[in-house]
């Protein structure tokens, strides 16, 4: 495994020997730590209320909504029977997860509009505080990773 | 009584969680380890105690955060803070914006840039290099991402090299993460001073 096998650099199409790849090598510790963080939110030992397949599906959903389809497909590989949720037009009603999906969408895409009520709505639906934190970490990490991928792709495109 | 802070400020507010943080007395070994709690260090913020609910994420996130913001080389500390501020303004994370505007002002020994940003937002009067950095950070933080080839070209025209551009992408994106914890899981508050 090198940093060029990481989800972040592969999804952005950054290869060894390119100018952007050389820059990434100066921050190889960060690329490696990003992969460790991805593993911690997608496949944690203690998944709480969110099994690995559901986490993968929600991550793919957020990446799809952002137009990061290559990254979304990588997440989707782990989504199993939850794969339907990766489609942003599905509201999660069928899976009994409408409250989780609505919250993830708002936290990912309309962050500035989040209110205390969005958290109390989850609590009222029976989501425990530890699971609310787990859900936020998942959404927040994906928001980070998709922006690193988008930025790297712009960097690569601009390289002579 | 405390009130919620709604305006951007460099005066760092308190952070009040919307969920119940982990109780240190009931924390597991793994949580205590991730919190770096030792007999001589038992002071942990409400924010970190909240994140301790997801200890596997907390453990990997702290070293990643420090590497992106503080590792030597590449972009200057102050310019990485500008990336953090751009993201925090887009996501209206008042707490994050305050902490990082305060750091920017201290690193630069000058509050002019953050005064201007908080007063005028994206219309702020900035020098060409800060302008290119702030605009890229702001657009990379939008949902969906609005940064494009022209914004990248402006970074190069302003003199940023590959290592600096990578650090800007990382610091801005990192705050896409931090804002979605801080702004979502809690409120920035200030104690009312009684007359």
């Amino acid at each position: 495994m090198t940093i060029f096998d990481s989800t972040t650099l592969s999804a952005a199409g950054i290869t060894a020997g390119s100018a952007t790849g050389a820059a990434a090598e100066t921050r190889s510790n960060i690329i490696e730590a990003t992969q460790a963080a991805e593993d911690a939110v997608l496949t944690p030992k203690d998944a709480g209320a969110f099994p690995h397949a559901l986490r993968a599906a929600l991550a793919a959903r957020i990446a799809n909504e952002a137009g990061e389809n290559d990254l979304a497909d990588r997440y989707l590989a782990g989504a199993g029977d939850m794969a339907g949720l990766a489609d942003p037009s599905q509201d999660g009603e069928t899976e009994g997860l409408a409250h989780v999906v609505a919250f993830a969408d708002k936290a990912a895409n309309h962050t500035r509009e989040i209110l205390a009520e969005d958290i109390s709505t989850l609590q009222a639906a029976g989501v425990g505080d530890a699971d609310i934190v787990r859900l936020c970490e998942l959404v927040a990490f994906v928001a980070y990773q998709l922006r690193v991928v988008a930025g790297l792709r712009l960097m690569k495109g601009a390289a002579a | 009584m405390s009130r919620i802070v709604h305006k951007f400020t460099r005066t760092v507010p308190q952070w009040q969680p919307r969920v119940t943080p982990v109780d240190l007395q009931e924390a597991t070994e793994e949580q205590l380890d991730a919190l770096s709690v030792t007999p001589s260090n038992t002071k942990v913020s409400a924010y970190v105690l909240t994140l301790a609910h997801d200890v596997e994420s907390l453990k990997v996130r702290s070293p990643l955060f420090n590497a992106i913001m503080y590792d030597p080389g590449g972009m200057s500390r102050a310019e990485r803070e500008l990336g953090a501020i751009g993201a925090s303004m887009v996501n209206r994370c008042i707490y994050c914006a305050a902490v990082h505007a305060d750091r920017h002002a201290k690193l630069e020994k000058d509050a002019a840039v953050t005064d201007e940003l908080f007063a005028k937002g994206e219309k702020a009067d900035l020098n060409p290099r800060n302008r290119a950095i702030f605009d890229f950070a702001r657009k990379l933080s939008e949902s969906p991402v609005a940064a494009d080839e022209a914004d990248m070209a402006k970074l190069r025209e302003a003199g940023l090299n590959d290592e600096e551009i990578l650090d800007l992408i990382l610091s801005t994106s990192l705050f896409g993460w931090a804002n979605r914890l801080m702004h979502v899981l809690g409120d920035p508050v200030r104690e009312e001073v009684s007359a």
Side-chain angles (χ1 to χ4, degrees), chain B residues 42-64:
Chain B
T42 55
K43 277 182 76 83
V44 186
S45 70
Y47 177 61
V48 175
L49 285 170
T50 297
L51 298 188
H53 279 301
D54 185 350
V55 67
E56 290 172 67
S57 292
L58 176 62
K59 226 163 25 185
V60 290
R61 187 177 161 276
S62 304
L64 177 55

Side-chain angles (χ1 to χ4, degrees), chain B:
Chain B
M1 269 304 285
S2 60
R3 64 183 169 82
I4 297 175
V5 182
H6 293 288
K7 280 190 179 162
F8 289 122
T9 169
R10 249 189 331 267
T11 309
V12 179
Q14 299 280 106
W15 186 81
Q16 185 174 285
R18 291 168 174 170
V19 298
T20 306
V22 168
D23 180 346
L24 258 190
Q25 306 305 318
E26 294 167 15
T28 64
E29 278 301 312
E30 197 182 11
Q31 285 170 331
L32 291 175
D33 180 52
L35 295 166
S36 306
V37 173
T38 61
S40 62
N41 177 26
T42 55
K43 277 182 76 83
V44 186
S45 70
Y47 177 61
V48 175
L49 285 170
T50 297
L51 298 188
H53 279 301
D54 185 350
V55 67
E56 290 172 67
S57 292
L58 176 62
K59 226 163 25 185
V60 290
R61 187 177 161 276
S62 304
L64 177 55
F65 185 99
N66 290 333
I68 291 176
M69 296 309 285
Y70 309 123
D71 270 6
M75 186 175 240
S76 73
R77 288 269 315 274
E79 288 179 341
R80 294 183 215 184
E81 297 293 352
L82 200 52
I85 295 164
S88 302
M89 288 181 72
V90 166
N91 293 320
R92 282 204 76 79
C93 185
I94 303 289
Y95 186 93
C96 302
V99 168
H100 295 279
D102 180 56
R103 281 198 195 144
H104 184 273
K106 284 176 178 152
L107 287 162
E108 294 282 272
K109 297 186 174 60
D110 188 351
V113 168
T114 47
D115 277 347
E116 184 71 16
L117 281 171
F118 285 172
K120 297 186 197 154
E122 60 188 79
K123 295 196 177 66
D125 184 15
L126 303 172
N127 69 37
R129 187 171 166 110
N130 281 343
R131 170 93 268 154
I133 291 171
F134 182 76
D135 282 349
F136 184 84
R138 181 169 62 77
K139 293 184 183 181
L140 187 63
S141 301
E142 296 286 352
S143 302
V145 169
D148 61 15
E149 292 77 6
D151 299 305
M152 180 58 67
K154 281 178 191 149
L155 291 175
R156 300 212 184 264
E157 280 164 30
L160 278 80
N161 63 31
D162 281 337
E163 287 74 19
E164 289 173 321
I165 292 173
L166 176 60
D167 283 350
L168 176 61
I169 292 167
L170 290 168
S171 57
T172 301
S173 301
L174 179 66
F175 276 79
W177 184 348
N179 295 161
R180 283 173 179 81
L181 298 174
M182 211 101 198
H183 177 68
V184 175
L185 289 168
D187 287 298
V189 296
R190 202 151 350 252
E191 294 300 315
E192 291 284 4
V193 181
S194 46

Side-chain angles (χ1 to χ4, degrees), chain A residues 140-153:
Chain A
F141 171 80
V142 174
Y144 158 79
Q145 189 168 40
L146 76 87
R147 285 175 173 77
V148 176
V149 169
L152 285 170
R153 196 183 316 98

Side-chain angles (χ1 to χ4, degrees), chain A residues 55-78:
Chain A
R55 288 167 179 262
L58 291 172
R61 176 185 185 89
I62 295 165
N64 274 327
E65 183 67 29
E68 287 296 338
N69 304 111
D70 187 311
L71 180 63
D73 287 347
R74 286 165 200 270
Y75 294 139
L76 190 62

Side-chain angles (χ1 to χ4, degrees), chain A residues 114-126:
Chain A
I114 286 273
L115 301 167
E117 287 76 5
D118 293 304
I119 299 294
S120 52
T121 299
L122 281 179
Q123 289 167 328

